[in-house]
Amino acid sequence: MPRERDPLVVGRVVGDVLDPFVRTVPLRVTYNSREVTNGREFKPSALVNQPRVEVGGNDLRTFYTLVMVDPDAPSPSDPSLREYLHWLVTDIPATTGATFGQEIVCYESPRPTVGIHRFVFVLFQQLGRQTVYAPGWRQNFNTKDFAELYNLGSPVTAVYFNCQRESGSGGRRM
């Protein structure tokens, strides 16, 4: 796919969160049977429970780390908390899903208050089991630095969706 047409480039995921990379492993993320595809809109009410995640690959001895971040926190015009870490699962065996991995930062459902936020799932291949540990905080997480710290290399795949506050769902009015 030409880089300028890559939805991760168009959606500024490559740049804001990731450096350019080559997808090598399939990843399927679904909320209540609705699959996450790049740029798809989801309402916060559909994201309360963690998604079902299926990881490709063909060797059960290969393990992956899944990172979910919001690069637009607290608002796209002032992303001062970029990146906000929503979920971190490690030791996911190939050909399985996140439920078979080790949830080291529990899932926090998206609840954007201002603007349209991107929520990015990034999958990395680990060098071995139990080689990745939880960061001490969620806000100002940095996916690139995290990958470097744990020798994860480039992502093997990524996907993102958009989400904004539902009208009438409470919260402050601006």
Side-chain angles (χ1 to χ4, degrees):
M1 178 180 308
R3 183 145 284 146
E4 64 278 358
R5 297 228 187 269
D6 183 332
L8 295 174
V9 173
V10 174
R12 296 186 339 275
V13 169
V14 169
D16 287 350
V17 179
L18 303 170
D19 291 326
F21 70 97
V22 176
R23 288 176 194 77
T24 56
V25 174
L27 174 68
R28 188 161 186 246
V29 180
T30 52
Y31 283 97
N32 306 318
S33 76
R34 281 188 71 208
E35 186 167 355
V36 171
T37 54
N38 288 317
R40 187 169 191 178
E41 291 276 340
F42 281 84
K43 292 180 169 21
S45 59
L47 307 170
V48 173
N49 299 315
Q50 69 187 46
R52 177 182 166 89
V53 175
E54 297 166 50
V55 175
N58 52 15
D59 186 347
L60 284 166
R61 295 167 300 182
T62 302
F63 294 92
Y64 297 95
T65 291
L66 179 73
V67 175
M68 178 188 178
V69 294
D70 174 359
D72 301 314
S75 74
S77 59
D78 178 27
S80 59
L81 301 180
R82 172 182 294 171
E83 302 155 29
Y84 189 88
L85 180 63
H86 277 266
W87 199 27
L88 182 58
V89 184
T90 64
D91 297 336
I92 304 167
T95 75
T96 66
T99 49
F100 294 94
Q102 197 65 42
E103 185 180 58
I104 60 173
V105 174
C106 64
Y107 178 78
E108 185 177 309
S109 62
R111 292 185 298 275
T113 52
V114 177
I116 298 172
H117 290 237
R118 296 163 295 164
F119 290 87
V120 185
F121 293 93
V122 186
L123 192 69
F124 293 98
Q125 184 173 327
Q126 296 173 205
L127 292 176
R129 281 193 77 204
Q130 299 175 339
T131 56
V132 179
Y133 302 96
W137 56 88
R138 287 179 185 260
Q139 56 195 35
N140 300 120
F141 179 82
N142 186 301
T143 301
K144 292 178 201 173
D145 290 351
F146 177 79
E148 191 174 317
L149 178 65
Y150 293 110
N151 294 309
L152 297 171
S154 292
V156 292
T157 195
V159 66
Y160 82 100
F161 66 88
N162 292 322
C163 181
Q164 61 185 314
R165 187 171 72 85
E166 293 175 66
S167 54
S169 63
R172 280 185 319 153
R173 295 264 181 234
M174 294 294 193

